[in-house]
Amino acid sequence: MVNNIFILSIFVILFNPVALSASSYDDDTLDIFSKIIPRFILMSSQKNSIQSKMEICILYDKLDERTASSLSDKIQNNYPNGIKNYKFKLIKSDYSDIDSCRKSQLAFLFNTDEKNMDSSIRMLNKNSVFTMSYDAKYLASGVDATLFLGRKVVPYMNMSALRQNGIEMDNTLVQISKIYLQGDGK
């Protein structure tokens, strides 16, 4: 009886559609992103579009809502008084409500299916929103930047996407970044 319950539990965990589609995110990596995201805005031409508050949009699938809230909380905790005299407006949005990100300086994209990612990047690029993703694989889809996490944390910039979107980056940031070239396969 105990073996049957154990086997059934494993089956439910492994083959549950919700468990299969949920992404797992590393808390330490989220900490790093939470410290870097506002700085990317300040080191880009996006700082010129800040009105009263620095607007950061966090896009997620419903299954990742808690993780998106965690990232938002981490940004607030790291910068309780804002950064460089800028307070934050943090928007957490499901991919189905991406219109709420139109005026953001930066949109952080959690993993999603290819259709969501492609349509989101098109809309965000059309509105000149800097895009940053959790996963480097989305650089091939046109995301502007992510982080390369190895022995050191290194920004990973898609210069083609940035140029197409009319976003300029501080030269210092570009010099310390790993540059994504189409066909890198990452």
Side-chain angles (χ1 to χ4, degrees):
M1 179 70 166
V2 174
N3 282 340
N4 289 343
I5 292 172
F6 177 75
I7 291 170
L8 181 60
S9 298
I10 297 297
F11 182 81
V12 168
I13 291 169
L14 291 176
F15 296 105
N16 182 344
V18 172
L20 287 174
S21 60
S23 299
S24 63
Y25 299 96
D26 180 70
D27 199 53
D28 292 335
T29 301
L30 290 175
D31 282 335
I32 294 166
F33 273 110
S34 72
K35 293 172 184 168
I36 301 282
I37 288 171
R39 296 182 182 283
F40 264 78
I41 296 170
L42 293 176
M43 295 185 80
S44 73
S45 57
Q46 294 299 87
K47 71 178 174 255
N48 300 329
S49 67
I50 299 172
Q51 294 185 13
S52 60
K53 293 184 177 183
M54 184 182 289
E55 191 170 307
I56 299 169
C57 186
I58 301 170
L59 287 163
Y60 60 89
D61 282 330
K62 286 283 186 206
L63 294 170
D64 296 324
E65 188 170 8
R66 276 189 177 164
T67 307
S69 290
S70 173
L71 178 62
S72 177
D73 292 344
K74 288 173 186 295
I75 293 170
Q76 286 289 58
N77 291 337
N78 287 325
Y79 302 101
N81 300 314
I83 186 171
K84 300 260 183 177
N85 298 321
Y86 295 111
K87 298 286 185 195
F88 295 119
K89 178 179 180 184
L90 295 168
I91 300 166
K92 295 177 300 238
S93 175
D94 184 279
Y95 279 98
S96 64
D97 187 30
I98 192 167
D99 285 341
S100 60
C101 300
R102 285 186 187 275
K103 295 185 181 184
S104 299
Q105 281 78 48
L106 186 143
F108 184 85
L109 298 98
F110 279 103
N111 298 353
T112 188
D113 64 50
E114 190 175 324
K115 181 182 172 194
N116 274 344
M117 187 60 68
D118 290 342
S119 64
S120 297
I121 291 171
R122 267 194 314 278
M123 192 285 285
L124 294 165
N125 289 349
K126 181 179 174 185
N127 290 283
S128 297
V129 177
F130 186 96
T131 55
M132 187 171 212
S133 66
Y134 182 86
D135 196 325
K137 72 181 178 183
Y138 295 119
L139 290 167
S141 300
V143 166
D144 297 316
T146 190
L147 296 176
F148 180 78
L149 303 172
R151 294 177 102 192
K152 294 192 298 185
V153 176
V154 179
Y156 204 179
M157 311 292 287
N158 184 339
M159 297 309 289
S160 300
L162 287 163
R163 272 187 235 113
Q164 280 183 330
N165 302 333
I167 298 172
E168 295 178 20
M169 301 305 295
D170 184 282
N171 283 337
T172 305
L173 181 60
V174 173
Q175 288 174 355
I176 65 165
S177 295
K178 182 173 180 172
I179 304 301
Y180 171 80
L181 300 172
Q182 207 65 8
D184 271 358
K186 294 181 181 166

